[in-house]
Amino acid sequence: MDKLLNAVKDFSVIKRYLEAINQTTDDFLYMYDIPNDRLQFFGHIHESFKVCSAQHGERSFEDCLAIVHPADRGRLCAEVEELRRGARDAHDHDFRLFNIRGETVWVNSRGKVLHDENGAPYVLIGRLSEEALRHLFNPLTGLWNKEKLRSDLDGKMAGKGWLMLLGIPALASLNLRHGREFGDELLREMADILEAIDGIEESYHVMNNHFAVIVRECEPAEVESIYGQICSRMDEKCSVFAGAVPIDSTVFGSVSQLIDSANVTLQDAVQDMVGRIVFFSADDIAQKISELSLLEELKESVQNNFEGFEICYQPQLKRGNYGLHGTEALLRYNSKERGRVFPDEFIPVLEHSGLIDPVGQWVLEQALAQCRVWREKIPDLRVAVNFSLRQFEDGRLGEKIVAALEKTRLPGSALTVELTESLQLNVNPHFVNLIRFIKSYGVQFSIDDFGTGYSNLAYLKDLDVDEIKIDRSFVSNIEKDTYNYRLICNILEFASANSIHTCCEGVETSKELSILEQLQPDIFQGYLFEPPCTALEIECKYLRETAEEYKERLAAMAELCRYVEKYGAIHFNPENILRENRIGLWTLRIDREENRFELHANDVMAQALGLSEKLSPTECYDYWKNRICSYHAKMVSDDIYTMIKDNRAVETEYAWEHPSMGVVRVRSSGIRVQDIGGMVVLEGYHRILN
């Protein structure tokens, strides 16, 4: 074909050839008369784009630029200029056009230059194809998709630059609140912003709420500046998070490793704080590689009949006489490569990979089988088994639990299902119905780590919870902590009034036990009595009356009873002291996805702020923040970020505009405490110095 076209110098003959060929393809063929700057398309291109076909006349290249996306015009013009000068003989370029509906469409233009008898560029003959790129761009925003990102990075790895992933975690909630059209327009606006920023070489829409950009080779400060420009333009609408990694083949062995590392870095940014960019950390990637290695081990263990897994049992003891009420089954894992692996390392890997389903079922069946053996000595003994949210998403979980009970010939009353409070199963009717189905067989439900989540007492009633387990964080040093003492008192009063059993877990000292005994929970659990034990150790200490371990335990419990009877505790009420010294207490909650801040102030704090009326937590935060003197605003913001980032106490002094006293100097100290329901929580005090 090249020889044939080179031999033909008559444009009319070339046109007939192209018109004939165009009947055999879905692409649009074209001919560009280079010396005269006349461009002709063949076929029915006018049905898709606002350009004339050959039957309707010719147009200049400049005329056709009107339908080219503004962000692509510069590069396209530069390449055409090289064709005109004879600097290149072939043309292969991807760019965007606006179709007749105003939508952005990626096309590939590929052609060959023919020369005249003097060797000068004569005519460019080529084809314009939508189909060649249809699978490589996002139809909503018109940006390249993740397949194109991978392809581009393949050719970029030998060079330098940055890959920055950007996420909008709140998109789903924005869609719910304002409608899908709002969210779609937000994504299109984000795409336009990315293409308008200098320093970004290419932009991609890689997922529903995730974008990626390739940034030219530069210092991290410039990458951060680009991120700042994005945030400032999106600030009124949503928070944008970013993770940035260097494009460097000496650091990353493959494109997949580069993208995976960027994803890990973006996740760190989302977990860190509202509106932050996080740069690549080799330690983070090493952690990710370690998790993947552990996952392979866990898969192999499951395939080999759960080799390496074992179940330990921690006793749950009755108040007063410390007799055995039941045990909690606790999963452990022994790695061939690493030795004993802690649960907080391997449990998340099991959950994220889905292995928690087969492993959880194995734990349930093993624990029930062991409980049946022990019930021969203690007929009413119970075993508690932990379940994750992932397991409750299994529509057949209820049937599996019932089948396990039938297999071991145990009544439902032998099993307690433990759920972590932070799961918040009450938000989904499926979970509520599933719990009711399981409870109909006599199985009891317990809320673990109570007090660390939303502590929504109404949802305990809705789920018909049988037991709540008060978390170790409230039990620890209760003899010194008046707040925790009162909190546990209130929980126990509520539980008693609603016929809910209570278990104080994490009891580690005799002093803690002596205080808790006065409050009268039903059950105790903790290292003061026993750490997690093997099944054989439980039998020796609690079931075999002739065993030395059994006798030693009885002696230890008798000594513990004498200590509890002898020692009490004195509690001081610090409220008057704080009030007299005008020290207010505050709690700051930060919802990173919604970019919402809540300031909860006690009555002393409210007086110190000069509040004349009751404000909502959000209004209270805005009231406090807007009165910080401008020259101290950044310092206070940085101190809050330090509390969140470093998990350490931070003390600060700043000038604040009091509504009646004018500018006052405030001293405040705060620290990050247990997160609640996905919100970062800070607690501290506020005191006016002058």
Side-chain angles (χ1 to χ4, degrees):
M1 178 62 70
D2 287 349
K3 291 181 180 179
L4 176 63
L5 291 174
N6 272 311
V8 177
K9 301 304 180 183
D10 186 343
F11 279 140
S12 63
V13 176
I14 295 176
K15 289 179 184 179
R16 287 200 299 273
Y17 278 133
L18 295 180
E19 287 172 347
I21 296 171
N22 200 78
Q23 304 302 315
T24 66
T25 178
D26 292 329
D27 297 338
F28 302 112
L29 301 184
Y30 63 81
M31 181 180 73
Y32 179 44
D33 178 356
I34 295 176
N36 297 308
D37 187 28
R38 308 308 297 169
L39 182 61
Q40 283 185 298
F41 288 93
F42 298 87
H44 300 284
I45 190 170
H46 62 281
E47 296 178 359
S48 300
F49 303 98
K50 290 183 179 180
V51 294
C52 299
S53 60
Q55 295 88 338
H56 299 85
E58 304 172 342
R59 301 184 70 177
S60 69
F61 172 73
E62 187 71 26
D63 292 337
C64 294
L65 278 179
I67 65 168
V68 177
H69 194 287
D72 299 332
R73 291 173 187 169
R75 282 180 288 182
L76 180 60
C77 288
E79 183 160 323
V80 171
E81 182 58 32
E82 289 182 356
L83 294 170
R84 288 169 174 165
R85 296 199 322 265
R88 63 165 66 211
D89 293 333
H91 167 63
D92 190 352
H93 195 79
D94 300 329
F95 54 93
R96 282 161 293 182
L97 297 178
F98 296 114
N99 64 20
I100 58 175
R101 294 183 297 275
E103 300 166 338
T104 302
V105 178
W106 278 98
V107 297
N108 172 259
S109 176
R110 179 180 296 177
K112 180 72 182 291
V113 174
L114 305 182
H115 298 80
D116 61 18
E117 59 274 8
N118 298 318
Y122 173 59
V123 63
L124 171 68
I125 296 175
R127 65 101 176 100
L128 197 67
S129 174
E130 285 187 72
E131 296 302 321
L133 299 179
R134 192 178 296 277
H135 67 292
L136 294 178
F137 71 91
N138 186 291
L140 175 64
T141 58
L143 296 184
W144 295 120
N145 61 20
K146 59 183 177 183
E147 283 78 14
K148 187 62 164 62
L149 172 64
R150 285 183 173 275
S151 174
D152 288 352
L153 288 174
D154 270 330
K156 185 76 175 175
M157 287 295 284
K160 298 290 184 180
W162 294 86
L163 171 63
M164 180 162 59
L165 293 187
L166 300 138
I168 308 175
L171 180 64
S173 59
L174 290 172
N175 282 338
L176 286 173
R177 189 183 308 162
H178 303 293
R180 187 61 178 263
E181 294 77 12
F182 176 87
D184 289 349
E185 184 57 35
L186 186 71
L187 295 174
R188 284 190 285 264
E189 185 172 348
M190 179 73 168
D192 292 341
I193 288 171
L194 296 180
E195 295 204 291
I197 294 178
D198 185 40
I200 294 179
E201 294 183 350
E202 195 61 82
S203 306
Y204 308 83
H205 188 178
V206 294
M207 277 178 55
N208 181 37
N209 61 342
H210 284 72
F211 292 82
V213 295
I214 293 178
V215 179
R216 66 191 176 198
E217 182 180 0
C218 61
E219 294 299 318
E222 185 173 342
V223 178
E224 192 161 3
S225 173
I226 290 173
Y227 168 70
Q229 295 178 55
I230 297 169
C231 288
S232 65
R233 300 183 192 188
M234 295 293 289
D235 187 49
E236 297 296 325
K237 302 171 182 65
C238 64
S239 294
V240 180
F241 301 80
V245 298
I247 301 174
D248 190 339
S249 59
T250 64
V251 177
F252 304 103
S254 66
V255 168
S256 293
Q257 194 178 87
L258 172 66
I259 293 175
D260 288 345
S261 300
N263 276 314
V264 171
T265 308
L266 175 59
Q267 290 169 16
D268 290 343
V270 173
Q271 294 169 4
D272 184 21
M273 189 185 175
V274 173
R276 286 281 175 177
I277 180 173
V278 173
F279 285 85
F280 162 78
S281 164
D283 291 339
D284 293 339
I285 307 308
Q287 174 65 25
K288 184 65 176 179
I289 293 173
S290 176
E291 289 178 2
L292 293 174
S293 173
L294 176 58
L295 174 59
E296 292 305 313
E297 279 196 79
L298 293 170
K299 286 180 179 178
E300 184 179 349
S301 294
V302 171
Q303 293 168 358
N304 293 333
N305 199 29
F306 302 97
E307 179 184 6
F309 289 103
E310 66 172 315
I311 302 175
C312 292
Y313 300 88
Q314 189 169 30
Q316 297 176 329
L317 306 178
K318 301 173 185 176
R319 172 175 51 85
N321 61 9
Y322 310 126
L324 188 61
H325 165 79
T327 63
E328 179 181 1
L330 300 167
L331 182 62
R332 298 291 183 261
Y333 182 67
N334 298 298
S335 163
K336 294 178 181 178
E337 302 292 331
R338 311 160 185 246
R340 177 60 67 94
V341 182
F342 290 107
D344 59 356
E345 292 181 61
F346 73 83
I347 294 293
V349 177
L350 290 176
E351 292 179 341
H352 294 157
S353 65
L355 289 175
I356 193 65
D357 291 325
V359 173
Q361 188 65 22
W362 177 80
V363 171
L364 174 64
E365 293 177 357
Q366 294 292 312
L368 288 176
Q370 185 61 68
C371 182
R372 177 170 177 77
V373 173
W374 289 339
R375 276 197 158 214
E376 294 177 5
K377 285 280 189 177
I378 306 178
D380 61 347
L381 189 73
R382 315 179 62 85
V383 65
V385 178
N386 289 278
F387 284 78
S388 71
L389 176 60
R390 175 63 182 260
Q391 290 170 275
F392 263 79
E393 291 172 346
D394 180 0
R396 297 184 58 247
L397 178 63
E399 299 171 18
K400 292 178 179 179
I401 290 176
V402 172
L405 288 167
E406 293 175 347
K407 181 179 179 180
T408 52
R409 300 191 301 280
L410 283 174
S413 58
L415 175 64
T416 298
V417 171
E418 286 197 8
L419 305 169
T420 301
E421 183 191 13
S422 58
L423 295 184
Q424 291 196 41
L425 301 179
N426 61 315
V427 300
N428 191 323
H430 159 73
F431 295 137
V432 177
N433 293 332
L434 178 56
I435 289 173
R436 289 173 179 167
F437 171 78
I438 298 170
K439 282 180 65 67
S440 70
Y441 285 84
V443 177
Q444 293 200 351
F445 273 78
S446 174
I447 300 298
D448 197 11
D449 303 329
F450 186 77
T452 61
Y454 276 98
S455 301
N456 187 332
L457 302 181
Y459 112 100
L460 298 179
K461 182 177 179 181
D462 292 340
L463 296 180
D464 192 19
V465 169
D466 302 286
E467 177 187 78
I468 54 178
K469 299 182 73 175
I470 300 172
D471 186 67
R472 162 70 188 162
S473 60
F474 300 106
V475 170
S476 178
N477 294 318
I478 189 173
E479 71 276 10
K480 301 176 183 177
D481 195 322
T482 301
Y483 175 82
N484 283 351
Y485 178 87
R486 291 189 170 186
L487 178 63
I488 293 177
C489 282
N490 293 334
I491 293 173
L492 294 176
E493 288 177 7
F494 169 84
S496 177
N498 290 275
S499 301
I500 298 175
H501 288 284
T502 51
C503 172
C504 288
E505 57 182 342
V507 182
E508 295 186 356
T509 69
S510 301
K511 288 184 178 180
E512 291 171 354
L513 180 63
S514 66
I515 302 301
L516 292 169
E517 274 284 9
Q518 299 173 30
L519 302 181
Q520 299 184 340
D522 299 292
I523 304 165
F524 293 114
Q525 181 179 344
Y527 275 69
L528 175 63
F529 306 101
E530 301 290 350
C533 304
T534 64
L536 179 59
E537 288 172 333
I538 293 290
E539 291 175 9
C540 291
K541 292 182 177 183
Y542 291 89
L543 303 177
R544 297 181 186 175
E545 297 179 1
T546 59
E548 286 300 317
E549 295 90 337
Y550 185 92
K551 297 174 184 177
E552 291 172 0
R553 185 188 66 83
L554 287 182
M557 292 302 100
E559 181 63 29
L560 194 57
C561 286
R562 286 192 290 271
Y563 180 91
V564 171
E565 291 174 1
K566 182 177 180 180
Y567 293 98
I570 300 175
H571 288 271
F572 293 94
N573 185 346
E575 288 188 3
N576 291 334
I577 299 174
L578 295 175
R579 189 180 303 278
E580 289 298 322
N581 287 277
R582 298 180 181 177
I583 299 175
L585 302 180
W586 53 262
T587 298
L588 178 60
R589 294 186 178 188
I590 304 172
D591 186 328
R592 296 170 294 181
E593 289 192 1
E594 297 288 341
N595 195 20
R596 188 177 78 251
F597 295 78
E598 297 179 356
L599 182 61
H600 300 261
N602 72 348
D603 58 343
V604 180
M605 174 75 169
Q607 292 176 11
L609 293 176
L611 293 175
S612 58
E613 59 181 343
K614 182 73 173 179
L615 299 180
S616 71
T618 302
E619 293 170 337
C620 188
Y621 171 80
D622 292 337
Y623 172 87
W624 166 76
K625 180 184 177 183
N626 293 335
R627 288 180 173 273
I628 299 173
C629 293
S630 58
Y631 47 88
H632 281 163
K634 184 178 185 304
M635 178 190 72
V636 174
S637 178
D638 289 344
D639 286 340
I640 291 175
Y641 175 66
T642 301
M643 293 180 207
I644 296 173
K645 180 74 172 175
D646 297 344
N647 282 331
R648 63 180 177 86
V650 176
E651 185 173 84
T652 185
E653 291 187 11
Y654 58 93
W656 191 77
E657 184 72 31
H658 192 279
S660 60
M661 300 167 61
V663 176
V664 296
R665 191 155 191 86
V666 171
R667 176 177 295 160
S668 184
S669 179
I671 191 171
R672 183 173 182 173
V673 295
Q674 180 73 42
D675 291 0
I676 296 178
M679 297 182 76
V680 172
V681 181
L682 310 178
E683 291 183 352
Y685 76 83
H686 170 106
R687 185 183 186 189
I688 296 177
L689 299 180
N690 63 322

